[in-house]
Amino acid sequence: MSETPGKQQNTAAFYGQAVASFAVAMAATAIGIYRLSADAWVRGFLAVAVLYLVTSSFTLAKVVRDRQEGAAAPAYPPFEKR
């Protein structure tokens, strides 16, 4: 029995749900900041903070994924006997 995991693929529905969820969250946040009864500089600060949070989240997700893929790679050539 082989214990080499295959590359897992996401379904189109899961991908679509993730994209739609991200779009709804960003739109709701943008509308909330726009309709906030505060000075323009406060709304601008919040908008920049949200953009920074989004970009750092993407970076963190990539770093975690890269670390997991690196740990999952075998330390020996694939055709070498153990």
Side-chain angles (χ1 to χ4, degrees):
M1 175 182 223
S2 177
E3 293 188 21
T4 55
K7 184 172 170 76
Q8 295 179 346
Q9 294 290 329
N10 293 328
T11 63
F14 180 75
Y15 180 78
Q17 185 271 334
V19 171
S21 175
F22 180 78
V24 167
M26 285 297 290
T29 303
I31 291 168
I33 290 173
Y34 177 74
R35 296 188 46 93
L36 185 66
S37 58
D39 292 337
W41 71 269
V42 173
R43 290 191 309 240
F45 176 80
L46 292 174
V48 169
V50 167
L51 292 177
Y52 180 66
L53 181 63
V54 168
T55 57
S56 62
S57 297
F58 278 111
T59 302
L60 177 63
K62 182 188 177 308
V63 168
V64 169
R65 182 203 63 200
D66 291 347
R67 178 176 282 181
Q68 287 177 343
E69 287 178 353
Y76 56 89
F79 299 109
E80 181 180 305
K81 290 184 179 180
R82 293 196 244 181

